[in-house]
Every structure is written in C-alpha cells, then in structure tokens.
Amino acid sequence: MRNSHTARLTACLWTGLLALATSTQAQVAYDKIEPGTTLTASGIALGLFAKPIPLPEGNWAVVSRTEVDLPLTGGRSDGPSSTPRVSLTLRRLDQGDSPLFAVVVQFTPNSIPINWGNRPCTNNNPLGLVDNFNVDANVMLYACARGDALYNLRQIVKDAPTGPDNWFKAHLSGLAPHADELPNSAVAVDINSNKFRGKAMNITFLLRADANADVNLAYRQHLQAWMHDTGLRWMKVVNNDATDLPGPATYLASK
C-alpha cells in the first residue's frame, strides 16, 4: 500500500511539474519577440519576478514590433533619463466567431521607479465610451479606458504606412497586408494603466462592430460592461497580479 501511495504521489508531482513547464514554455520573453512570432493566451514574459502579460484566448501572430526610449524629464525618475517602451501589434490567427481580430500591446519592461504624471480620464469624442474606474490622476494605480467606433477600417489600414496619423502608422502598418480580411466597421477599445513608481502598460483591442456603437444603446452597454471588466483585469496586470484576459463576447450571441 505504501509503495502504491508513493507511486501515485510521484505521478501527481510529475504531472504538476509538467503542467508548470508547459505553461512556462508557452510564454515568450518580451525581448525574444519579433515579427512572425506566434503568441498564445499564456502571454508575454517580462522577467523572473514579474507576472506575464496575458493575452485573450487564441493564437496571435506578431505583425510589428517597435521599441522607443521614453524621456523621463521633470523629476519623473530618480535615476535614468529615459526608459524603453515596447510596442507589439498582434493579429489573431483563429478568430472564429469572436469579434476580436487584433491587439496592440505597449509596455515598459524595466522596473524603474517612475512618477507617470497622469491626466484626468476623458474622451474627446462625444459619442465615444469612457471609464475612469473611479480613480483620479493622482492615485497609486491609475487606469483609463476609452472606446471609439472606426469606420472604413480597411482603407485606414491600407493607408497606415504612408498616412498622416502617427499612431496608425506606428501600430497598424503591420496589418496592411491583411487589410482586405478585416471588418470595415470596427471598435477600438484602449486601456491605459500605470503604477506610481512602477510600470506603464497600454492595450488596444480592435474588434468587429456587431452594431453601430454610436447609436445602439444596448450594444454600447455590452461594450461598456466588457471594457470595465477588462480594465479591472488590466490594472491587476500592471500591479503584478496574476489574471486572465477574456475577449469580448459576440453581441448578437448575447441577446
């Protein structure tokens, strides 16, 4: 009996270690990610003591990667005068019925004490969505979510590499070869969060518009509820807490 119990215990331990190893292997270190890399929901590894950045379910192809130095002026840092920010644009390979087809992730990988100096959370678009999560610009853990309808998206993406909009140029150019596969009406949901004396992270979800977000109240409420839940989860990521990141449900299926 003792030998049988020991064998079962050993088998359980090996199963747990194998599951842990598989999960760890599924994460890709941020500095190893290049265009062509495929990522999964296990996410992006930031280092030994940092929780990974999770992604929504699915397989995500990296279509562009940029890295820039953010200047830290006006007493924002006790030491370095800049910190790197990595930007990744991801295209979903197995969209299925999900409205979510692309994600842009931006993050500062280094653990440098920084005062980010936030602004009040508003949306310049009177028809847009906004959620300040009941926090103000001076809190230790800040977040702001905004949602806006995007019309004629295919042409926007085709024009992105040479167009005048710097954000489109930097983050949507990698999607240009796939522009004809994208929905023409979409919604962009952007969640910006940072921690005082910690990291800053931003994620932008691009999803198929299942209704007119500017006039359909039920659809707006559908988006707003998902945006709020996702923003709370994103704040956990910035706070170095483990969480998953579910994508939005199809609006028609939610009726």
Side-chain angles (χ1 to χ4, degrees), residues 14-129:
W14 275 111
T15 300
L17 289 172
L18 180 60
L20 178 62
T22 302
S23 174
T24 301
Q25 289 171 359
Q27 299 165 11
V28 181
Y30 79 91
D31 55 347
K32 304 298 183 185
I33 296 174
E34 299 292 345
T37 302
T38 299
L39 304 176
T40 68
S42 295
I44 301 165
L46 296 180
L48 183 61
F49 299 107
K51 297 291 191 300
I53 299 175
L55 296 172
E57 287 295 330
N59 292 290
W60 297 90
V62 180
V63 296
S64 69
R65 173 198 167 108
T66 60
E67 185 169 335
V68 299
D69 283 330
L70 293 179
L72 301 176
T73 58
R76 293 186 185 273
S77 170
D78 299 334
S81 59
S82 66
T83 190
R85 180 178 65 187
V86 178
S87 298
L88 303 171
T89 301
L90 314 177
R91 170 178 167 261
R92 191 166 189 168
L93 297 176
D94 46 2
Q95 185 176 346
D97 292 331
S98 172
L100 183 61
F101 60 86
V103 171
V104 179
V105 186
Q106 297 175 278
F107 55 92
T108 54
N110 290 355
S111 296
I112 299 172
I114 297 171
N115 174 11
W116 293 102
N118 298 302
R119 298 178 179 178
C121 181
T122 59
N123 193 332
N124 294 330
N125 177 7
L127 296 177
L129 304 172

Side-chain angles (χ1 to χ4, degrees), residues 118-122 130-145 192-194 228 231-232 235:
N118 298 302
R119 298 178 179 178
C121 181
T122 59
V130 65
D131 193 330
N132 66 5
F133 304 97
N134 293 319
V135 301
D136 60 37
N138 298 314
V139 295
M140 301 290 287
L141 183 60
Y142 171 84
C144 178
N192 169 41
S193 182
N194 58 67
H228 183 77
L232 294 177
M235 292 171 75

Side-chain angles (χ1 to χ4, degrees), residues 211-213 215-225 251 254-255:
N212 189 331
V215 299
N216 187 318
L217 180 59
Y219 183 51
R220 289 173 66 86
Q221 292 173 339
H222 171 81
L223 292 174
Q224 191 89 46
Y251 171 65
S254 69
K255 289 185 177 181

